[in-house]
Amino acid sequence: MATAFQWVRSLIFMITIYAWMLILGIVFAPYALFTKRGALQACKTYARSTMWLARWMVGIRTEVRGTVPVDEVVIGAKHQSFLDIIIIFDAIPHGKFIMKKELLWTPIIGMYARRLGCIPVDRGKKGAAVAKMVKDVAKEFTEPGQLVIYPQGTRVAPGVQKPYKVGTAVLYEGLGFPCVPVATNAGVFWPRTGVMRKPGLAIVDFLDPIEPGVARNEFLGRLESVIETRSDALMKEVGFVRDGVH
């Protein structure tokens, strides 16, 4: 009975947050079309209200740990669900995301992504996509901000292993900024698929930065090690372990 009730609450929550996205997107559109500040305010409002609704409707609390970067950095983040995007975006001052190209054509999301300065990537073109990404990022960084990239390229469910791609290292080298690794356990409560949302504490942890100048292979090894180790610890903290034993 409790599980069924939580599923119904989760369904109502999901309908609510996507309806709210549409409403906010329309209300802020005139402001966002003329200024990036308008787009930023709209997205910050959505992130904060969604976290509030998650706590109230389905029992998901959120917490940010570590030192949140405010300068120009590359953020290499573990990506388990839509929730970790929201928490990270709310925490940093001027977030810009590396995102799959198809999202630019999504109603509401696409327009605001463009206004925020997010960088689209054609994941099917691999090497060419990475080269274009670096060029587009260099162009976009005429304005300060924190560039968020997901080193594994997509959402990865808790407990699933997926290799880290070279794109984060290429950006790190090309931009010459520090890279801040970010760990999370958000997928334990807000999974990448399905309706059910589970109550608990979803954490995003900003870890010690990797300063510029580290060789590519060493950088990727360090990035993967610190993110995976800390994410495993955060998941274990809330009762989940990588092998699926709870």
Side-chain angles (χ1 to χ4, degrees), residues 74-92:
V74 175
I75 294 176
K78 183 72 173 176
H79 187 22
Q80 294 182 339
S81 80
F82 184 45
L83 180 57
D84 54 66
I85 296 177
I86 292 172
I87 300 172
I88 291 171
F89 182 78
D90 179 60
I92 58 181

Side-chain angles (χ1 to χ4, degrees), residues 13-23 46 82 190 197:
F13 168 69
M14 296 304 292
I15 293 171
T16 301
I17 65 169
Y18 286 114
W20 182 230
M21 179 188 293
L22 178 61
I23 292 168
Y46 179 74
F82 184 45
W190 186 320
R197 302 293 179 259

Side-chain angles (χ1 to χ4, degrees), residues 12-28 42-53 57 108 112:
I12 295 171
F13 168 69
M14 296 304 292
I15 293 171
T16 301
I17 65 169
Y18 286 114
W20 182 230
M21 179 188 293
L22 178 61
I23 292 168
L24 277 181
I26 293 171
V27 169
F28 275 90
C43 295
K44 290 284 189 182
T45 300
Y46 179 74
R48 289 165 188 167
S49 55
T50 298
M51 289 189 292
W52 181 85
L53 287 167
M57 296 183 72
I108 304 297
Y112 282 92

Side-chain angles (χ1 to χ4, degrees), residues 54 107 113 131 134 138 141 195 223 234:
V134 174
F141 261 84
V195 171
L223 185 70
L234 292 176

Side-chain angles (χ1 to χ4, degrees), residues 1-12 57-58 196:
M1 179 63 74
T3 300
F5 182 61
Q6 184 68 20
W7 189 93
V8 172
R9 292 174 65 188
S10 300
L11 179 61
I12 295 171
M57 296 183 72
V58 292
M196 177 67 86

Side-chain angles (χ1 to χ4, degrees), residues 164-240:
Y164 279 50
K165 298 183 178 182
V166 73
T168 306
V170 174
L171 281 179
Y172 164 80
E173 291 174 350
L175 292 173
F177 297 156
C179 178
V180 177
V182 175
T184 190
N185 65 359
V188 174
F189 310 104
W190 186 320
R192 60 190 293 270
T193 59
V195 171
M196 177 67 86
R197 302 293 179 259
K198 301 175 183 178
L201 180 61
I203 304 164
V204 159
D205 195 354
F206 290 86
L207 307 175
D208 292 339
I210 302 174
E211 296 299 330
V214 178
R216 181 177 297 186
N217 288 341
E218 181 184 349
F219 167 79
L220 281 174
R222 284 175 58 181
L223 185 70
E224 179 172 358
S225 176
V226 295
I227 290 177
E228 293 300 309
T229 299
R230 185 58 184 150
S231 293
D232 285 349
L234 292 176
M235 290 187 288
K236 186 176 181 180
E237 181 179 325
V238 297
F240 181 96

